[in-house]
């Protein structure tokens, strides 16, 4: 989704980050203030049912995104094809019009061949009108020349056709802008699949200390609203009864990550001595662990990447 935003905002790349929102909030705020939607995904349902529901909704979001991206690509391609026809760089004065015997052709000449064109164009055909070539436009690679021929009518200036193409180009530009605005609104509001999704503030810290104004039911909802993956991995790692706390940590600088790892390793070393040792000694192998030792810690760890444009 982030890459799609970059593509549709090609004319305003400096504003990409502010449009990468989740339910109207920036990604960091959304993640750090997230709470499970108990009304939509009751914790009493089997985990497999909740996971299946989420998978289907994510698949629908991906399908919608692909459909929007395809529609945008078609509009962009059509617009580029019209722009390549270069109808805006020619005018009536560049052509011999309404003649039964003369016609003006357009020729693209590379810049290094300008001199050769001027010397040889009159002899390229018996039908070339002498001294009839003129440079009407150029870019870094070459120039667009006109040349007048007798009786040849492979190209003619049609003012109505050019007007029609300009109107079509204007319409495509308008459609492209509308697609962009629609995509931005959709991203800011979230997918229609999650139209009723709720975002609440969940206090981090001591789980036994209720926030101001919380009643028993709200505290009970917080206890039930653990994230699926954290819950499952923690139970698999530490077993029952459930006794853990999920915490979000965001270092202010990337350079602080190493120090944070050292502190966490020291605090939770007693949970898994082998894992704690392996962090300091990469040669230590953890039996049964297929992942890299660098991804395994005494505590359950998941990385949430919010730098989607890095």
């Amino acid at each position: 989704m982030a890459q799609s935003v970059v593509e549709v905002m090609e004319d305003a790349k400096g504003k990409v980050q502010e449009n990468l929102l989740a339910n109207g909030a920036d990604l960091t705020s959304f993640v750090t203030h997230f709470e499970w939607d108990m009304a939509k995904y009751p914790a009493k349902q089997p985990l497999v049912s909740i996971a299946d529901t989420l998978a289907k909704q994510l698949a629908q979001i991906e399908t919608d995104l692909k459909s929007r991206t395809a529609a945008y690509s078609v509009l962009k391609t059509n617009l580029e094809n019209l722009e390549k026809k270069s109808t805006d760089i020619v005018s009536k004065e560049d052509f011999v019009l309404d003649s039964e015997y003369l016609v003006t052709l357009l020729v693209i000449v590379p810049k290094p061949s300008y001199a050769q064109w001027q010397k040889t164009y009159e002899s390229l055909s018996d039908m070339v009108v002498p001294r009839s070539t003129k440079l009407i436009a150029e870019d870094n690679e070459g120039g667009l020349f006109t040349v007048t021929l007798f009786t040849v009518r492979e190209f003619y200036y049609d003012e109505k056709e050019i007007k029609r193409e300009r109107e079509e180009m204007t319409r495509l530009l308008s459609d492209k802008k509308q697609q962009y605005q629609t995509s931005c609104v959709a991203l800011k509001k979230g997918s229609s699949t999650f139209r009723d999704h709720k975002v609440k503030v969940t206090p981090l810290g001591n789980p036994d200390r209720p926030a101001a104004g919380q009643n028993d039911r709200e505290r009970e909802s917080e206890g039930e609203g653990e994230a699926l993956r954290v819950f499952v991995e923690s139970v698999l790692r530490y077993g029952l009864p459930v006794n853990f706390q999920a915490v979000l940590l965001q270092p202010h600088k990337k350079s602080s990550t190493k120090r944070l790892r050292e502190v966490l390793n020291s605090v939770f070393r007693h949970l898994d001595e082998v894992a704690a040792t392996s962090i300091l000694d990469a040669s230590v192998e953890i039996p049964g662990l297929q992942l890299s030792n660098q991804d395994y810690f005494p505590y359950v760890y998941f990385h949430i990447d919010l730098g989607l444009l890095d």
Side-chain angles (χ1 to χ4, degrees):
M1 293 182 72
Q3 185 59 38
S4 296
V5 174
V6 172
E7 292 176 359
V8 301
M9 295 188 66
E10 55 185 338
D11 297 329
K13 290 185 177 181
K15 297 183 179 180
V16 171
Q17 192 65 50
E18 64 188 62
N19 284 277
L20 288 179
L21 305 177
N23 287 7
D26 63 87
L27 301 184
T28 300
S29 299
F30 178 77
V31 171
T32 55
H33 294 76
F34 175 82
E35 182 177 339
W36 195 263
D37 189 343
M38 295 297 300
K40 196 166 187 177
Y41 311 102
K44 294 182 180 180
Q45 285 188 358
L47 289 178
V48 65
S49 298
I50 297 178
D52 184 59
T53 299
L54 290 173
K56 290 179 179 178
Q57 292 174 339
L58 288 173
Q60 183 60 47
I61 291 175
E62 184 176 7
T63 300
D64 292 344
L65 179 61
K66 288 181 178 179
S67 176
R68 290 175 181 269
T69 301
Y72 179 81
S73 297
V74 171
L75 284 173
K76 184 177 179 181
T77 300
N78 291 342
L79 179 60
E80 289 175 348
N81 289 338
L82 278 178
E83 289 174 341
K84 288 179 180 179
K85 291 188 175 181
S86 304
T87 55
D88 283 336
I89 64 175
V90 297
S91 63
K92 294 174 61 175
E93 291 72 21
D94 297 323
F95 297 87
V96 176
L97 303 177
D98 302 322
S99 172
E100 296 182 10
Y101 310 103
L102 297 173
V103 64
T104 303
L105 301 182
L106 294 173
V107 180
I108 297 176
V109 181
K111 276 193 172 182
S113 302
Y114 279 9
Q116 182 183 4
W117 167 258
Q118 293 289 353
K119 292 179 181 179
T120 62
Y121 82 91
E122 294 179 351
S123 61
L124 294 178
S125 170
D126 294 337
M127 300 298 168
V128 176
V129 176
R131 300 185 181 183
S132 63
T133 192
K134 181 175 66 173
L135 176 65
I136 61 174
E138 66 178 340
D139 57 20
N140 294 331
E141 297 180 357
L144 184 65
F145 287 80
T146 59
V147 60
T148 303
L149 275 68
F150 291 104
T151 69
V152 180
R153 301 185 60 83
E154 294 179 2
F155 178 88
Y156 60 95
Y157 184 91
D158 188 333
E159 191 168 9
K160 291 183 180 179
E161 178 65 16
I162 290 179
K163 181 180 179 182
R164 186 194 67 78
E165 289 182 352
R166 287 175 177 170
E167 291 175 349
E168 177 69 5
M169 188 180 297
T170 301
R171 185 186 68 80
L172 289 174
L173 282 170
S174 177
D175 288 349
K176 180 181 177 182
K177 182 178 180 180
Q178 182 65 31
Q179 284 274 358
Y180 159 69
Q181 293 175 340
T182 302
S183 298
C184 287
V185 171
L187 286 169
K188 289 181 178 180
K189 291 185 177 180
S191 170
S192 58
T193 307
F194 296 100
R195 191 173 298 153
D196 57 348
H197 184 72
K198 299 178 180 178
V199 178
K200 301 178 182 178
V201 175
T202 302
L204 300 178
N206 189 342
D208 297 325
R209 182 180 300 168
Q214 280 190 315
N215 55 35
D216 292 340
R217 178 55 189 161
E218 289 174 334
R219 292 196 298 275
E220 181 182 351
S221 296
E222 283 184 7
E224 296 174 350
E226 300 290 347
L228 267 178
R229 191 175 180 189
V230 175
F231 179 88
V232 173
E233 293 291 341
S234 299
V235 172
L236 290 175
R237 176 82 76 89
Y238 305 115
L240 296 172
V242 175
N243 182 20
F244 65 86
Q245 174 69 26
V247 178
L248 288 166
L249 297 175
Q250 182 185 21
H252 293 296
K253 300 179 180 179
K254 290 184 178 180
S255 58
S256 305
T257 302
K258 182 178 180 181
R259 175 56 182 160
L260 177 60
R261 289 282 185 216
E262 294 174 352
V263 173
L264 292 175
N265 187 51
S266 174
V267 173
F268 299 108
R269 184 186 184 94
H270 64 283
L271 297 177
D272 194 330
E273 289 288 346
V274 176
T277 303
S278 69
I279 296 174
L280 300 177
D281 184 0
S283 64
V284 176
E285 295 185 0
I286 304 176
L289 184 66
Q290 301 299 320
L291 299 175
S292 167
N293 290 357
Q294 301 303 318
D295 297 326
Y296 188 84
F297 305 94
Y299 45 89
V300 174
Y301 163 74
F302 293 110
H303 175 69
I304 303 176
D305 187 7
L306 301 180
L308 301 180
L309 298 179
D310 296 339

